[in-house]
Amino acid sequence: MTAPDSPRPEPDPLAPAGRPFSPMRALAWAIFLVAAAGLAFHVVFYLAGPTEWLAAYARGLWMKICVGVAFANLLAGHLHYWRTRMRLDIASRVLAYLWILSIILYLPLMIRGALAWH
């Protein structure tokens, strides 16, 4: 412990400012950005896409891949938060839940498309 009258050490001017790079922080940002991109794509496509394209997307392979990625992202967010307790993980889990909710909005198109095939 330093004496109260001793001068404080000067910070190193060549040291990087802010927090150091962390692979766990980068992973948290990746989880967040995947959920944000998936939600943004679904909302924009749902609001601006033609009905024929929406129905084809909802019945196709890409929707199944999207459901798998959304749930994997949600699981990754839970496991990452369990390990690190970062606040960014809470935001990414909220976005993942909203992304899954946006997938549920496509269910009528999936059902209508399945009934049209029979």
Side-chain angles (χ1 to χ4, degrees):
M1 185 146 170
T2 61
D5 58 343
S6 66
R8 293 185 181 197
E10 293 291 325
D12 183 15
L14 299 177
R19 296 183 211 171
F21 174 77
S22 165
M24 292 302 274
R25 182 169 303 283
L27 182 62
W29 275 105
I31 292 169
F32 177 80
L33 291 175
V34 166
L39 177 62
F41 172 75
H42 267 185
V43 169
V44 168
F45 194 61
Y46 192 80
L47 294 176
T51 308
E52 300 82 29
W53 290 6
L54 290 172
Y57 172 70
R59 289 189 307 264
L61 177 67
W62 289 108
M63 178 57 89
K64 294 173 182 70
I65 292 171
C66 183
V67 169
V69 170
F71 279 101
N73 190 318
L74 183 63
L75 178 64
H78 279 290
L79 294 176
H80 194 272
Y81 181 75
W82 180 56
R83 170 89 175 158
T84 63
R85 301 286 187 210
M86 287 184 183
R87 285 179 287 184
L88 184 62
D89 291 326
I90 296 170
S92 66
R93 287 189 334 198
V94 168
L95 284 177
Y97 280 122
L98 289 174
W99 185 15
I100 292 169
L101 182 65
S102 75
I103 292 170
I104 292 171
L105 290 176
Y106 283 92
L107 281 177
L109 294 171
M110 289 183 214
I111 293 169
R112 233 182 294 148
L115 293 176
W117 286 99
H118 293 298

